[in-house]
Amino acid sequence: MIKIKNISAQETYEIRLSVLRNNIDLPFKFEGDEDKRTFHLGAFYEEKLVGIASFMRNRIDVVKGQQYQLRGMATLPEVRGMGAGKMLIEEAKSILKEKSITALWCNARKEAVGFYENLGFKITGEEFEVSKVGAHFKMYYIVS
Ligand SMILES: CC(C)(COP(=O)(O)OP(=O)(O)OC[C@H]1O[C@@H](n2cnc3c(N)ncnc32)[C@H](O)[C@@H]1OP(=O)(O)O)[C@@H](O)C(=O)NCCC(=O)NCCS
């Protein structure tokens, strides 16, 4: 069974490095990681950390109200399709709702767009390129 728990920024680094920064020379520590309003969630399978997601205050103009940005969303290849990614986002939605946050947004890798659409996110704007990573879309979810 997969369980979602709050984790520290430090605990996200190993999976960020192995999944999101594998052969990609970009920082794995993000500005805002240690901000007091930031929270990091971990998905645990048999007590092992298998998925991560970080949520930090940051805004884009296309969405109104109080916003959070999702960053560093990743699950280990061996647990993909088991629901860990979905559980991380669903937990965040309920935390953000309690905080009266209006919207959650992210820069979604093109390959992950279907994952976010499945969770109710919508694309805004055109496809754009992130150097060393590839094609992305801005996506947002209206929390409340
Ligand atoms: C994208 C990622 C986080 C999804 O994690 P996951 O643990 O496999 O997701 P889940 O098992 O919770 O999937 C939830 C649903 O989304 C679907 N889904 C998962 N990845 C998908 C994708 N890339 N495209 C379309 N649908 C996807 C699943 O089939 C599942 O559908 P269901 O609810 O109908 O069964 C994971 O594949 C990953 O870490 N990828 C590499 C890093 C990455 O691209 N991160 C996102 C950066 S923006």
Side-chain angles (χ1 to χ4, degrees):
M1 199 180 79
I2 291 164
K3 286 187 191 154
I4 306 299
K5 296 182 202 169
N6 281 89
I7 59 172
S8 65
Q10 191 82 33
E11 287 172 283
T12 68
Y13 295 158
E14 194 176 327
I15 295 180
R16 278 189 193 169
L17 274 166
S18 71
V19 176
L20 297 169
R21 294 293 179 257
N22 187 21
N23 293 322
I24 299 176
D25 180 23
L26 283 176
F28 61 92
K29 294 183 181 180
F30 303 146
E31 196 187 332
D33 265 346
E34 303 290 349
D35 188 289
K36 63 182 190 311
R37 295 171 303 182
T38 295
F39 62 97
H40 307 271
L41 296 178
F44 290 80
Y45 181 63
E46 293 172 348
E47 313 298 324
K48 183 187 171 197
L49 183 64
V50 295
I52 52 164
S54 300
F55 302 86
M56 44 195 78
R57 284 296 292 263
N58 199 5
R59 56 173 297 115
I60 48 173
D61 288 339
V62 285
V63 205
K64 303 277 170 273
Q66 306 279 323
Q67 307 170 18
Y68 265 73
Q69 180 182 8
L70 160 63
R71 298 200 67 187
M73 170 84 237
T75 59
L76 293 179
E78 58 266 32
V79 302
R80 302 237 171 107
M82 285 174 59
K86 184 176 187 164
M87 286 173 70
L88 286 164
I89 300 294
E90 293 301 350
E91 177 65 17
K93 284 180 186 172
S94 84
I95 293 170
L96 294 170
K97 199 164 194 155
E98 273 182 25
K99 291 180 188 287
S100 301
I101 297 301
T102 309
L104 174 64
W105 65 273
C106 65
N107 292 322
R109 292 184 182 190
K110 193 173 184 177
E111 315 81 72
V113 163
F115 167 72
Y116 294 114
E117 281 177 339
N118 200 281
L119 288 160
F121 283 68
K122 303 248 181 294
I123 287 178
T124 175
E126 301 298 317
E127 181 178 319
F128 63 96
E129 198 69 14
V130 173
S131 171
K132 301 179 188 172
V133 188
H136 282 69
F137 286 91
K138 245 178 220 328
M139 298 187 77
Y140 67 95
Y141 174 82
I142 301 298
V143 180
S144 53

